[in-house]
Coordinates of all heavy atoms in Angstrom, one line a residue:
V1 N -12.9 1.1 -12.6 CA -13.5 1.2 -13.9 C -12.7 0.2 -14.8 O -11.5 0.3 -14.9 CB -13.5 2.6 -14.4 CG1 -14.0 2.6 -15.9 CG2 -14.3 3.5 -13.5
G2 N -13.4 -0.6 -15.6 CA -12.8 -1.5 -16.5 C -12.6 -2.9 -16.0 O -12.3 -3.8 -16.8
Y3 N -12.8 -3.2 -14.7 CA -12.7 -4.5 -14.2 C -14.0 -5.3 -14.5 O -15.1 -4.7 -14.5 CB -12.5 -4.5 -12.7 CG -11.2 -4.1 -12.2 CD1 -10.8 -2.8 -11.9 CD2 -10.2 -5.1 -12.0 CE1 -9.6 -2.4 -11.4 CE2 -9.0 -4.7 -11.5 CZ -8.7 -3.4 -11.2 OH -7.4 -3.1 -10.8
A4 N -13.8 -6.5 -14.8 CA -15.0 -7.3 -15.0 C -15.8 -7.3 -13.6 O -15.3 -7.6 -12.6 CB -14.6 -8.8 -15.3
G5 N -17.1 -7.0 -13.8 CA -17.9 -6.9 -12.6 C -17.9 -5.6 -11.8 O -18.6 -5.5 -10.9
A6 N -17.1 -4.7 -12.2 CA -17.0 -3.4 -11.5 C -18.2 -2.5 -12.0 O -18.8 -2.6 -13.0 CB -15.7 -2.7 -11.8
D7 N -18.5 -1.6 -11.1 CA -19.6 -0.7 -11.4 C -19.1 0.5 -12.3 O -18.3 1.2 -11.8 CB -20.1 -0.1 -10.1 CG -21.3 0.9 -10.3 OD1 -21.7 1.1 -11.4 OD2 -21.8 1.4 -9.3
P8 N -19.6 0.5 -13.5 CA -19.1 1.5 -14.4 C -19.5 2.9 -14.1 O -18.9 3.9 -14.5 CB -19.6 1.1 -15.8 CG -20.9 0.4 -15.4 CD -20.6 -0.3 -14.2
E9 N -20.5 3.1 -13.2 CA -20.9 4.4 -12.7 C -20.2 4.9 -11.5 O -20.3 6.1 -11.2 CB -22.4 4.4 -12.4 CG -23.3 3.9 -13.6 CD -23.1 4.9 -14.8 OE1 -22.9 6.1 -14.6 OE2 -23.1 4.3 -15.9
R10 N -19.4 4.0 -10.9 CA -18.7 4.4 -9.7 C -17.5 5.3 -10.0 O -16.6 4.8 -10.7 CB -18.2 3.2 -8.9 CG -17.5 3.6 -7.5 CD -17.1 2.4 -6.8 NE -16.0 1.7 -7.4 CZ -14.8 2.0 -7.3 NH1 -14.4 3.0 -6.7 NH2 -13.8 1.3 -7.9
A11 N -17.4 6.5 -9.5 CA -16.2 7.3 -9.7 C -15.1 6.9 -8.9 O -15.3 6.6 -7.7 CB -16.6 8.7 -9.3
P12 N -13.9 6.7 -9.4 CA -12.8 6.3 -8.7 C -12.4 7.2 -7.6 O -12.5 8.5 -7.8 CB -11.7 6.1 -9.7 CG -12.1 7.0 -10.8 CD -13.6 7.0 -10.9
E13 N -12.0 6.7 -6.5 CA -11.5 7.6 -5.4 C -10.1 7.8 -5.5 O -9.3 6.9 -5.9 CB -11.9 6.9 -4.0 CG -13.3 6.6 -3.8 CD -13.6 5.9 -2.5 OE1 -12.8 6.2 -1.5 OE2 -14.5 5.1 -2.4
A14 N -9.7 9.1 -5.1 CA -8.3 9.4 -5.2 C -7.5 8.7 -4.1 O -8.0 8.5 -3.1 CB -8.1 10.9 -5.1
P15 N -6.2 8.3 -4.5 CA -5.4 7.7 -3.5 C -5.2 8.5 -2.2 O -5.1 9.8 -2.4 CB -4.1 7.4 -4.2 CG -4.5 7.3 -5.6 CD -5.6 8.4 -5.8
A16 N -5.1 8.0 -1.1 CA -5.0 8.8 0.1 C -3.5 9.0 0.4 O -2.7 8.1 0.3 CB -5.6 8.1 1.3
P17 N -3.2 10.2 0.8 CA -1.7 10.5 1.2 C -1.4 9.9 2.5 O -2.3 9.9 3.4 CB -1.7 12.0 1.2 CG -3.1 12.4 1.5 CD -4.0 11.5 0.8
V18 N -0.2 9.3 2.6 CA 0.2 8.7 3.8 C 1.7 9.0 4.0 O 2.4 9.1 3.0 CB 0.0 7.1 3.9 CG1 -1.5 6.8 3.9 CG2 0.7 6.5 2.7
P19 N 2.2 9.1 5.3 CA 3.6 9.2 5.5 C 4.2 7.8 5.4 O 3.7 6.8 5.9 CB 3.7 9.8 6.9 CG 2.4 9.4 7.6 CD 1.4 9.2 6.5
L20 N 5.4 7.7 4.8 CA 6.1 6.4 4.7 C 7.4 6.6 5.5 O 8.1 7.6 5.5 CB 6.5 6.1 3.3 CG 5.3 6.0 2.3 CD1 5.9 5.7 0.9 CD2 4.4 4.9 2.7
T21 N 7.7 5.6 6.4 CA 8.9 5.5 7.1 C 9.7 4.3 6.6 O 9.1 3.2 6.6 CB 8.6 5.3 8.6 OG1 7.8 6.5 9.1 CG2 9.9 5.1 9.5
L22 N 10.9 4.5 6.3 CA 11.8 3.5 5.8 C 12.9 3.2 6.8 O 13.4 4.1 7.5 CB 12.5 3.9 4.5 CG 11.5 4.1 3.3 CD1 11.0 5.5 3.2 CD2 12.3 3.8 1.9
V23 N 13.2 1.9 6.9 CA 14.3 1.4 7.9 C 15.3 0.7 7.0 O 15.1 0.3 5.9 CB 13.7 0.5 8.9 CG1 12.7 1.2 9.8 CG2 13.2 -0.8 8.4
P24 N 16.6 0.6 7.6 CA 17.6 -0.1 6.8 C 17.1 -1.5 6.6 O 16.6 -2.2 7.4 CB 18.8 -0.1 7.8 CG 18.6 1.1 8.6 CD 17.1 1.3 8.8
Y25 N 17.3 -2.0 5.3 CA 16.9 -3.3 4.9 C 17.4 -4.4 5.8 O 16.7 -5.3 6.1 CB 17.2 -3.5 3.5 CG 17.1 -5.0 3.0 CD1 15.8 -5.5 2.8 CD2 18.2 -5.7 2.7 CE1 15.6 -6.9 2.4 CE2 18.0 -7.0 2.2 CZ 16.8 -7.6 2.1 OH 16.7 -8.9 1.6
Y26 N 18.7 -4.2 6.3 CA 19.3 -5.3 7.0 C 18.5 -5.6 8.3 O 18.6 -6.6 8.9 CB 20.8 -5.0 7.4 CG 20.9 -4.0 8.5 CD1 20.8 -4.4 9.8 CD2 21.2 -2.6 8.2 CE1 21.0 -3.4 10.8 CE2 21.4 -1.7 9.2 CZ 21.2 -2.1 10.5 OH 21.4 -1.2 11.5
A27 N 17.8 -4.5 8.8 CA 17.1 -4.6 10.1 C 15.7 -5.1 10.1 O 15.1 -5.3 11.1 CB 17.2 -3.3 10.8
W28 N 15.2 -5.4 8.9 CA 13.8 -5.8 8.8 C 13.6 -7.2 9.5 O 14.6 -8.0 9.7 CB 13.3 -5.9 7.4 CG 13.5 -7.1 6.6 CD1 14.7 -7.5 6.0 CD2 12.6 -8.1 6.3 NE1 14.5 -8.7 5.3 CE2 13.2 -9.1 5.5 CE3 11.2 -8.3 6.7 CZ2 12.5 -10.2 5.1 CZ3 10.6 -9.5 6.3 CH2 11.2 -10.4 5.5
A29 N 12.4 -7.5 9.9 CA 12.0 -8.7 10.5 C 12.7 -9.0 11.9 O 12.8 -10.1 12.3 CB 12.3 -9.9 9.6
N30 N 13.2 -7.9 12.5 CA 13.6 -8.1 13.9 C 12.6 -7.7 14.9 O 12.8 -7.8 16.1 CB 14.8 -7.2 14.1 CG 16.2 -7.8 13.7 OD1 16.7 -8.7 14.3 ND2 16.6 -7.4 12.5
R31 N 11.3 -7.4 14.4 CA 10.2 -7.2 15.3 C 9.0 -8.1 14.9 O 7.9 -7.8 15.1 CB 9.7 -5.7 15.1 CG 10.8 -4.7 15.6 CD 10.4 -3.3 15.2 NE 10.6 -3.1 13.8 CZ 10.4 -2.0 13.1 NH1 9.8 -1.0 13.8 NH2 10.6 -1.8 11.9
G32 N 9.4 -9.3 14.3 CA 8.5 -10.2 13.8 C 8.5 -10.1 12.3 O 8.8 -9.0 11.8
A33 N 8.1 -11.1 11.6 CA 8.1 -11.1 10.2 C 6.7 -10.5 9.7 O 5.7 -11.0 9.8 CB 8.2 -12.5 9.6
G34 N 6.9 -9.3 9.1 CA 5.8 -8.6 8.5 C 6.1 -8.3 7.1 O 7.1 -8.7 6.6
S35 N 5.1 -7.6 6.4 CA 5.3 -7.3 5.0 C 6.5 -6.3 4.9 O 6.7 -5.5 5.8 CB 4.1 -6.8 4.4 OG 3.5 -5.7 5.1

């Protein structure tokens, strides 16, 4: 809602819960460079 071109009648969907797993920052990108 409020975006140019957005449907003003569309009800916003609630964010979906997800589990987050964190790893030590030093170890990132040792399985390939991902986000």
Side-chain angles (χ1 to χ4, degrees):
V1 177
Y3 284 90
D7 181 359
E9 301 301 322
R10 182 179 68 81
E13 299 180 34
V18 294
L20 301 178
T21 298
L22 293 86
V23 298
Y25 169 68
Y26 78 79
W28 88 279
N30 276 283
R31 297 167 287 178
S35 57

